[in-house]
Amino acid sequence: MSSPEEAERALKAMQEAMKMQEAMKMQEAMKAGGTATPAEPGAMPIDWSTEATPAAANGVQVLHSPRQFAVVFTEHAPFPGRNALDGRAGAERARVVSSLRLDPETYFQALCVMASNWNRFVEAHIPPQMRQPRFKLLDAGDGQLYGIKRPKEEDDGA
């Protein structure tokens, strides 16, 4: 009979294989073209041959300092004591699978691209009666994310 540690390792290996298989399917679909919508109209074409091995994550954390943001993608399986320094339940830690450092301007640009892409996804794939949330910019002057209708000038009835 195998130990709990061996069972956990086997389960983790199976989960990693499934994640990698799913990531490979998505990557191949994107490379084939036509199935993935570009993040932004007019975006620069992507040379997929330069892509590193995709990392599968089930969590994300964002940290910031005055000069940069750190986007940390994590993986966590809910096993008591997993990755805990002392091995005790309640002290689990997520494993970092990838991280990205961005200056504030690039971070804001990335957020806008992701929010616009979400709005585009909702518009294309979610039935209107499902009422999925969308993102919009506040205090943006004439600028706005994709998928947000600009308010019409108010008619005072005069």
Side-chain angles (χ1 to χ4, degrees):
M1 183 141 197
S2 60
S3 70
E5 292 82 19
E6 289 173 346
E8 183 178 340
R9 278 194 299 273
L11 180 59
K12 180 179 178 183
M14 186 172 70
Q15 288 173 335
E16 289 295 321
M18 289 172 53
K19 287 178 189 175
M20 186 59 86
Q21 187 177 28
E22 185 64 31
M24 288 172 62
K25 284 181 187 176
M26 181 181 287
Q27 184 179 21
E28 289 305 315
M30 294 173 109
K31 284 180 183 177
T35 58
T37 305
E40 286 295 310
M44 184 180 296
I46 296 172
D47 178 1
W48 288 102
S49 68
T50 62
E51 182 184 27
T53 303
N58 62 4
V60 65
Q61 295 183 28
V62 177
L63 303 110
H64 69 275
S65 71
R67 293 190 297 166
Q68 75 174 355
F69 286 81
V71 183
V72 182
F73 297 95
T74 60
E75 180 270 329
H76 179 71
F79 292 111
R82 173 141 190 208
N83 291 335
L85 291 174
D86 56 6
R88 293 180 317 153
E92 296 84 6
R93 298 183 308 165
R95 182 175 69 92
V96 174
V97 295
S98 183
S99 68
L100 182 63
R101 309 305 160 109
L102 304 163
D103 62 73
E105 183 178 322
T106 305
Y107 180 74
F108 182 76
Q109 180 184 6
L111 286 177
C112 290
V113 167
M114 287 185 273
S116 287
N117 200 293
W118 172 260
N119 291 349
R120 199 175 279 113
F121 168 81
V122 168
E123 186 176 86
H125 302 291
I126 307 295
Q129 62 271 24
M130 296 296 288
R131 297 192 45 87
Q132 286 292 314
R134 293 179 186 228
F135 294 96
K136 70 178 181 178
L137 294 176
L138 301 176
D139 300 328
D142 291 334
Q144 193 49 263
L145 299 174
Y146 177 88
I148 298 297
K149 292 180 177 51
R150 300 191 194 299
K152 295 178 182 173
E153 295 298 321
E154 292 187 41
D155 184 10
D156 59 8

